[in-house]
Amino acid sequence: MSFNSEYTGHKLLVANRGEIAVRIIRTAQRLGIPTVAIYTSSDALSPHVAIADEAAHLQNSASDQQQLASESKLYLSSAIIISICKQYQVTMVHPGYGFLSENEEFALSVEAAGMIWLGPQPDVIRIMGLKHEARRLAANAGLQLVPGSQGLVNTLEEALSIANTIGFPVILKATAGGGGMGLLVCRNGNDLSECFVSAQERATSLFHNGGVFIERYYPAARHIEIQVFGNGLGDVVHMGERECSVQRRHQKVVEETPSPFATGHSGLREDICDAAVKLCRTIKYASAGTVEFLVDDESGAFFFLEMNTRIQVEHAITEAIHPDLDLVEMMLAQGIAQRSEARGLDHAAQSMRQAIYDKNLVESRIHAIEARVYCENPSEGFKPSPGILQFVDFPKENWLRIDSWVSTGTEVTRFFDPLICKLIVTGSTREQAVSRMVQVLKACKIFGPPNNLAYLASICDSTIFKEGKATTRFLDNFDFSPNAFTVLSAGIEMTIQDLPGRRIGLGIPQSGPMDSQAFSAANILAGNTPETEALEIVVLPGAGCKLKFHNLAIVAITGKPATVKIDGEQVSMWARLTVSENAILDIAGLPGPGFRVYLAIRGGFPEVPQYLGSKSTSMGLGGYQGRSLRVGDQLALGSQSSSEQDERGPVALSLPEGLIPVYPQDWVIQVLAGPHDDAEILTPEGNSKFYSTKWSVSSSSNRMGIRLESNQSIDWARNTGGEGGSHPSNILDNGYVIGTVNVNGDTPVILTNEGPDMGGYVCLCTVATGERWKLGQLSPGSTVTFRKISWQDAQACMKAPLRWIEAVQAVVAGSQPYMDFVDDALEGRELSGILHRNEWSSGSLRPAVTFRQAGDSAILVEYGEMHLDFVLRARVHALESEVRKRNVKGIWAFAPCIRSTMCHYNPSVISQADVLAVLLNTERSLPDSASDLQFPGRKITFPIVLDDQWCRDALQRYMRTTRNSAVYLPSNIDYLARNNGLEGGVDEALQKLMDSAWLVFGVGFYLACPFLVPIDPRCRLVGQKMNPSRTYTPSGAVGIAGPVAAIYPVVSPGGYQLFGRTLPAWQTWGKGPDFASDRPWLLQPFDQVLFEPVSEERYLEIEQEFNAGQYKFKIEPVVFSMAAYITFTDGIQQEITEFKRKQAEGTAKEEAHEIELLREWQVQKAAKAPPTVLVDDTGMAGTSVTSSISASIWKIKCQPGDVIQSADDILVILEAMKTEINILAGEESVGKVVTSLGKGIREGASVQVGDVLAWFE
């Protein structure tokens, strides 16, 4: 409907959030009314904030933590909202539903401030809000009431008397209650006696009004309500009824119109609608409202329940059956009309003509149904399920309306009602509407924490609902079991992984299972393809994994030996298992070699969405909520279609013993030399010693990298890393590959599935692809010896794992497996990591080029000497561009950085020799001089806060928790000024950092982190990395290490010297005009970055726009010309020379000072270490608890003399793999006394598997 009301000069504030705020704003926008949204901190990115013309932050004087604790209360703060209305010159306020929508005082405050209240009269709100008063008014209007008390019941004696008169069961209701809250059913006098006082107390707590009254409770009843609209002058129309009988916990979940019950009972519709209109005329009701009735399912008699003096959640189905009806538009028109001479809508206006609605109800032949979708868990008592919605996709049909506020990436917080959307379908018949609703519920994809979509689908597909026979008790005993499991305990770590993970590069971890062999075997045994997503689990004695399966599931468990039980009965690993409905699967850790267990479930996890092409969990991305699974998590399962083979019992089939791998304690792993194990990096003796050392796996290892320890030092062939850094392990940043042995200082780390793909440390060798599965079973305390092999040998190494997988598939298929898995004989070819080197010739413009082996699927191409040079970076870019033009099959990615690029290829498609030939030929085709090279890119302006509060806070945390004295403390910027010889101090340092555009040299490391270098050499400040690194860096922080700057993509550890904060070049969900869901990164090599200083206040506004996907970067095309660059630098060569001279002097001073400060800090740290208390375990009597893993002791929770009270008493908390591991006393220790700690047990000490932690007697 359209109105002639004049909206010019009005501004609307919506005093609500979520889908109703969005819905109201949409109507206002259509009418041309400017809107103001309000929001709390957790709602800052919600769509109602983004689509409104203006938005105001609800804040009070409380601290940030107190603000969060009172998030929902802020939407109830009438004083703050009225203040915002005045500030923004609001003329109208729409309260939506809930919150302040039925608050008389708020309505009065709005009107007192001279604004239009879009709702009924405040006194009507008050009277109808008190249910005992509403009953009185309804009775006076001639409506029949549910038998009950005449008013409030004040004493238990009075309550019992009334209940005995009207008969049990009865229902106690809070007079100020609503939304299903404040209701208690009492089936007899004992129930009433037990809960009467508590009902009053709960009503006081929830509604600040302890009044309660009693009604007869009708177990088999219908809930039917009438949509009304009044003009405040005594004219009232109705739009028909809605049936809302399908309720859980007295709250509606499915509503429909017309009511199937009213349709089947002649005259009921007319009578009940007339009664609603009669009541509203009596009180001269204004605006939209709903009169609710209880209808006896047997007799059809109806009784007044209450009136909701606001727009209802389910108003959309009424709009659906009346073409062009918009109740919000009517409320706006009525509100404005009330301020006119007419004092309300004209009774003759089209919107107030009952005949039109009656005609629609008779002739439209439309049936509408609404289902409310909540983030809640029906199998856990409808417990709210906050979290990130990782994928949202709604079907599109012309008969479907969706009122929602969510999209992919939306966070549903714990602070508010978990309603995420309403699905409204229409049909020409009820049968068609029901069928469409079932179709839509099954087609909706809302993946993230549990929701009620499957529950709603089950309701709508049930016979009772289809036949229109659902009463208010329908859901009380509704049988629903989710096809899912619930985590009862999660072991040390449990993540979702798939194969092959992500192959994108750009610092986006590949992820996937650490042991692809055991992972694939589990999937094959479970009846999946080898690549299907499954669980990777770390369990230890006392830290197992328990899952409750709500439906039958076919599973398989492989990997490290563990004790597996189904409902207490032990079953086999490496077998196909059937877990029955409601059974508990228990995986308990055992001591011994191996580390990871794999659990595959038939059908995988269909409601875990892919992120960038994979379901694998990584760095806050993918998997379930981007993290390890936790207690209480529930994951939906796929189809469990079974075969005769599956029905042989709990264990359907098993692998023969000869196929089950045995994991050793001491591992030999085949590696390829390089890229950096040559004589330039290690001495010949050092090289030999590295490969002969038996390295021990550190407890600090994890999925990012396996840290190795030894009492052997690394013999370096050089003293420093030159421009790469002061330590010989430092280099200018270059690409990494999975499985490379990266040396950080003097500590080797095998980079694994979550490791960086770029960095500034040498890589001595790389694990052969066919051997990488072994990395997944390396446990803390086990040992590794590296054995060098050639590229050809590495190809042979791939065959045994493939044959083994084929053998597993043969067993499952019922055929005889091939059992010979011995590696083919290795040929012992030349094992150099340098594949080819083009030496530099005196006078030549062509730089030296070294082609280095980087495992069996990559080649590192390195130009010139170890220094930053734009000419070298230009040649790298030219090489990549030319190779891409040739479209070589098998070469799939490059990872360029300062003076090199990592060329990744698929060895099953193209050989190393052929890749090398392509690279050599392409390099030879490049011109001798780079001066004629030009590179198109983009110039992108980033807002930046210099010397910002967030980076200063990160340094303060560092000084409190890590190190309090260093050359770079307390100010990184002051250090940068001194380190670069800048006499103007901080101001000059910041000015230089802003004076030049920055060229993007590389994108990678983690999450497309950009590496930037100022184009103007006079602005290239240098700085050392912080030692040790920070544990916290804010997202968007900008820092310098060596000559390179980086923009941190997310909150993370880091060691760069920070000088400001900008927007990250990463947007996880790809929101915003400059990002996409399949391209959540912004920058690429040879883009140029300009920093534009802004205030902290402006930055906060920009950050909110960015996070909401509303910010648009200023981007313009640009070409980087080497000729222009060379001309520019030649013209300022003298200034460059002078700048570098002062820089070298400053750096030398700061390095010398840092050596002193570092030594002092190390002495102080050693002095603070707790003394070692040695206890001689020899001859100790009694029992003991031992360590189940190599780890460090984080906390000691027991002392000699303590009596063990429970098996769950925590004795010691270990730390391994950045995970806390509780060591429990166990049943056998209950009642015993702790006599002493084990030998050398103290906080901070390291322990090995089997070390005694505590003794008992």
Coordinates of all heavy atoms in Angstrom, one line a residue, residues 45 48 59 90 195 201 275 333 375 379-380 415 456 530 559 591 707 807 851 866 951 963 1081 1099 1164 1225 1236 1257:
L45 N 29.6 -4.4 13.3 CA 29.7 -4.8 11.9 C 28.4 -5.4 11.4 O 28.3 -5.9 10.3 CB 30.8 -5.9 11.8 CG 32.1 -5.6 12.4 CD1 33.1 -6.7 12.1 CD2 32.6 -4.3 11.8
H48 N 22.5 -3.7 10.0 CA 21.6 -2.5 10.2 C 22.5 -1.3 10.4 O 22.0 -0.2 10.1 CB 20.7 -2.8 11.5 CG 21.4 -2.7 12.8 ND1 22.2 -3.7 13.3 CD2 21.3 -1.7 13.8 CE1 22.6 -3.4 14.5 NE2 22.1 -2.2 14.8
Q59 N 27.1 3.7 24.2 CA 28.2 3.6 25.1 C 27.8 4.2 26.5 O 26.9 5.1 26.5 CB 29.4 4.4 24.6 CG 30.0 3.9 23.3 CD 31.2 4.7 22.9 OE1 32.3 4.4 23.4 NE2 31.0 5.6 22.0
V90 N 16.7 13.4 15.5 CA 15.7 12.4 15.2 C 14.3 12.9 15.4 O 14.0 13.6 16.4 CB 15.9 11.1 16.0 CG1 14.8 10.1 15.9 CG2 17.2 10.5 15.5
C195 N 7.1 -24.0 43.8 CA 7.6 -23.0 42.8 C 7.0 -21.6 43.0 O 7.3 -20.7 42.2 CB 7.5 -23.5 41.4 SG 5.8 -23.7 40.8
E201 N 10.1 -14.5 42.7 CA 11.5 -14.0 42.7 C 12.1 -13.9 41.3 O 12.7 -12.9 40.9 CB 12.4 -14.9 43.5 CG 12.0 -14.8 45.0 CD 12.8 -15.9 45.8 OE1 13.4 -16.8 45.2 OE2 12.8 -15.8 47.1
A275 N -13.6 -10.5 18.2 CA -13.3 -10.3 19.6 C -12.1 -9.4 19.7 O -12.0 -8.5 20.6 CB -13.1 -11.6 20.3
A333 N 3.1 6.0 8.9 CA 2.0 6.9 8.5 C 1.1 7.2 9.7 O 0.7 8.4 9.8 CB 1.2 6.2 7.4
C375 N 20.4 -19.8 16.1 CA 21.7 -20.5 16.4 C 21.5 -21.1 17.8 O 21.8 -20.4 18.8 CB 22.8 -19.5 16.4 SG 23.8 -19.5 14.8
S379 N 19.3 -30.5 20.4 CA 19.6 -31.7 21.2 C 20.2 -31.4 22.5 O 20.4 -32.3 23.3 CB 20.5 -32.6 20.4 OG 21.8 -32.0 20.2
E380 N 20.5 -30.2 22.8 CA 21.0 -29.8 24.1 C 20.1 -28.8 24.8 O 20.5 -27.8 25.4 CB 22.4 -29.1 23.9 CG 23.4 -30.0 23.3 CD 23.9 -31.1 24.4 OE1 23.7 -30.8 25.6 OE2 24.5 -32.1 23.9
F415 N 25.4 -12.3 23.5 CA 24.7 -11.2 24.3 C 23.3 -11.1 23.9 O 22.5 -10.5 24.7 CB 25.4 -9.9 24.0 CG 26.9 -9.9 24.3 CD1 27.9 -9.8 23.3 CD2 27.3 -10.1 25.6 CE1 29.2 -9.8 23.6 CE2 28.7 -10.1 25.9 CZ 29.6 -9.9 24.9
L456 N 13.7 -27.8 12.4 CA 12.5 -27.3 11.8 C 12.1 -28.1 10.6 O 10.9 -28.3 10.4 CB 12.9 -25.8 11.3 CG 13.1 -24.8 12.4 CD1 13.7 -23.5 11.8 CD2 11.8 -24.5 13.1
P530 N 39.9 -41.0 -0.2 CA 41.1 -40.7 0.7 C 41.2 -39.3 1.0 O 41.7 -38.9 2.1 CB 42.3 -41.2 -0.2 CG 41.8 -42.2 -1.1 CD 40.4 -41.7 -1.5
G559 N 46.5 -44.5 12.9 CA 47.6 -43.6 13.4 C 48.3 -44.2 14.6 O 48.4 -45.5 14.8
P591 N 51.2 -44.7 26.0 CA 52.6 -44.3 25.9 C 53.2 -45.0 24.7 O 52.7 -46.0 24.3 CB 53.2 -44.7 27.2 CG 52.3 -45.8 27.7 CD 51.0 -45.5 27.3
R707 N 60.5 -28.5 16.1 CA 61.7 -27.9 16.6 C 62.6 -29.1 17.0 O 62.2 -30.0 17.7 CB 61.4 -27.0 17.7 CG 62.6 -26.2 18.2 CD 62.1 -25.2 19.3 NE 61.3 -24.2 18.6 CZ 61.7 -23.0 18.1 NH1 63.0 -22.7 18.2 NH2 60.9 -22.2 17.6
A807 N 47.2 -51.0 -1.5 CA 46.9 -52.2 -0.7 C 45.8 -52.1 0.2 O 44.9 -53.0 0.4 CB 48.2 -52.6 0.0
F851 N 70.5 -21.4 -9.1 CA 69.2 -22.2 -9.1 C 69.4 -23.2 -8.0 O 70.2 -24.1 -8.2 CB 69.0 -22.8 -10.5 CG 68.8 -21.7 -11.6 CD1 69.9 -21.1 -12.2 CD2 67.5 -21.3 -11.9 CE1 69.8 -20.2 -13.2 CE2 67.4 -20.4 -12.9 CZ 68.5 -19.8 -13.5
M866 N 73.9 -10.8 -1.5 CA 72.9 -10.7 -0.4 C 72.7 -9.3 -0.1 O 73.1 -8.8 1.0 CB 73.4 -11.5 0.8 CG 72.4 -11.6 1.9 SD 71.0 -12.7 1.6 CE 71.8 -14.3 1.7
C951 N 50.1 0.0 19.1 CA 51.5 -0.5 19.0 C 52.3 -0.1 20.3 O 53.1 -1.0 20.8 CB 52.2 0.1 17.8 SG 51.6 -0.6 16.2
R963 N 60.6 -8.8 28.0 CA 62.0 -8.2 28.2 C 61.8 -6.7 28.5 O 61.1 -6.1 27.7 CB 62.8 -8.5 27.0 CG 64.3 -7.9 27.1 CD 65.1 -8.2 25.8 NE 66.3 -7.5 25.9 CZ 67.2 -7.4 24.9 NH1 66.9 -8.1 23.7 NH2 68.4 -6.8 25.0
W1081 N 42.9 -11.2 -0.1 CA 44.1 -10.4 0.1 C 44.0 -9.2 -0.9 O 43.3 -9.3 -2.0 CB 45.3 -11.2 -0.1 CG 45.4 -11.9 -1.5 CD1 46.0 -11.4 -2.6 CD2 44.9 -13.2 -1.8 NE1 45.8 -12.3 -3.7 CE2 45.2 -13.4 -3.2 CE3 44.2 -14.2 -1.1 CZ2 44.8 -14.5 -3.9 CZ3 43.9 -15.3 -1.8 CH2 44.2 -15.5 -3.2
Y1099 N 40.9 6.8 12.4 CA 41.2 5.5 12.1 C 40.1 4.5 12.6 O 39.8 3.5 11.9 CB 42.6 5.1 12.8 CG 42.9 3.7 12.6 CD1 43.5 3.2 11.4 CD2 42.6 2.7 13.6 CE1 43.8 1.9 11.2 CE2 42.9 1.4 13.4 CZ 43.5 0.9 12.3 OH 43.8 -0.4 12.1
Q1164 N 70.0 -11.5 34.2 CA 68.8 -11.2 35.1 C 67.8 -12.4 35.0 O 67.2 -12.8 36.0 CB 68.1 -9.9 34.7 CG 69.0 -8.7 35.0 CD 68.3 -7.4 34.5 OE1 67.2 -7.5 33.9 NE2 69.0 -6.3 34.7
A1225 N 45.6 -37.3 38.9 CA 46.1 -38.3 39.9 C 45.7 -39.7 39.5 O 46.4 -40.6 39.7 CB 45.5 -37.9 41.2
S1236 N 56.6 -36.7 47.8 CA 57.6 -35.8 47.2 C 57.3 -35.7 45.7 O 56.6 -36.5 45.1 CB 59.0 -36.3 47.5 OG 59.2 -37.5 46.7
E1257 N 52.2 -42.3 48.9 CA 52.2 -43.5 49.8 C 50.8 -43.6 50.4 O 50.1 -42.6 50.5 CB 53.3 -43.4 50.8 CG 53.1 -42.3 51.8 CD 54.2 -42.3 52.9 OE1 55.2 -43.1 52.7 OE2 54.0 -41.6 53.9

